[in-house]
Structure formats: C-alpha cells, structure tokens
Amino acid sequence: MNREELKAAAVAMLERSYVPYSHFPVGAALECADGTVFTGCNIENAGYSPTICAERVAVGKAVSEGHTDFVRIAVAGESENYCVPCGVCRQVLMEFAPEIEVICLNKKGDELALPLKELLPYGFDPSYLGK
Ligand code: THU
C-alpha cells in the first residue's frame, strides 16, 4: 500500500467510529514492515474512561495477530486541525515502534507527518526497564 492508500484507509475508518458522546470520529491505518496494514477507529463508552482511541484499536489488532514491527501510521479526523495522537497513544506506539512515522490528517486530507520521537521526546521506552 502506498502513502496515499494508507491515508485513504485511515479516512475510510472514520465511518466505523462509534462516537455517540464526543461526535469526534478518528480513523487509523497502521503499516507494518512487511506491508500488512491494520486499521482502527475510536470506540467510545458510556463510562467514558473505557473509550479506546483509533490508534490503539489498530495496535491491538496488529499485536494480537503477531505483528509488532510498525513503520507508519496514518491518523484521520474531521476537524480543521491535524488529528494528532493523544499522549496515551504516543506512549503505546513508543513501546513497539520508536522510529515510526506518524501521518496526521485534517478534514481536507492535508498531512502533517512527524517522527514519533518528535511527538514524544524523552518517551519512556522499554530500555528504562532494562529491556
Ligand atoms: N481520539 C482518538 O481516537 N485518537 C486520538 O489520539 C485522540 C482522541 C478519540 C477519543 C475520543 O473518542 C475522541 O477522539 C475525542 O477525544
């Protein structure tokens, strides 16, 4: 899948979002080194805190299928601003892919692409635990 296809896969997930509370859909498409792509959407909950972000849904799908070698993630939203990953999602990506490229999209489809290390400087990675 090329870059534009990865972005389109993230955008396509917006309609799968379950967002009755925030009405803020997010879609994600996570690309692995072997080219496999896992998608995700945000899934909200009446208890609010069980809500899971689109990025972490994609990571959970990937890891549970045996994939942890991530190279790029596209994150789509429907606002004027670029849809950047929240702090928790940055930390989850850091666990597996400190070198990952994060492609943030706005509603027009413009992109802001950043290395995770710029989004999460001094991130707490497994090396802090001697791993
Ligand atoms: N959200 C994501 O899915 N990803 C992010 O990184 C930012 C926030 C979702 C969570 C919630 O369903 C909605 O956006 C508003 O916070």
Side-chain angles (χ1 to χ4, degrees):
M1 192 176 278
N2 66 31
R3 190 179 188 85
E4 293 308 311
E5 288 168 337
L6 189 73
K7 287 156 62 173
V11 171
M13 289 305 288
L14 291 168
E15 69 181 44
R16 297 271 175 86
S17 290
Y18 176 73
V19 288
Y21 309 108
S22 73
H23 305 288
F24 188 90
V26 181
L30 177 66
E31 184 182 61
C32 304
D34 70 356
T36 310
V37 171
F38 293 91
T39 56
C41 61
N42 50 340
I43 304 170
E44 298 186 342
N45 186 276
Y48 287 19
S49 69
T51 291
I52 182 163
C53 294
E55 299 92 318
R56 278 178 291 136
V57 169
V59 170
K61 287 167 69 176
V63 175
S64 63
E65 295 296 327
H67 291 259
T68 55
D69 196 2
F70 309 140
V71 292
R72 288 194 292 201
I73 186 168
V75 184
E78 288 182 342
S79 72
E80 307 276 345
N81 296 330
Y82 294 108
C83 193
V84 293
C86 77
V88 172
C89 290
R90 295 176 198 199
Q91 178 65 29
V92 168
L93 290 168
M94 175 65 67
E95 178 72 19
F96 300 105
E99 307 298 332
I100 196 172
E101 178 186 21
V102 182
I103 305 168
C104 309
L105 305 173
N106 65 13
K107 73 174 181 189
K108 287 191 286 180
D110 302 327
E111 69 166 67
L112 170 69
L114 293 165
L116 178 63
K117 281 187 173 161
E118 279 186 31
L119 286 166
L120 190 63
Y122 301 100
F124 190 84
D125 67 23
S127 71
Y128 285 86
L129 300 178
K131 308 292 178 193

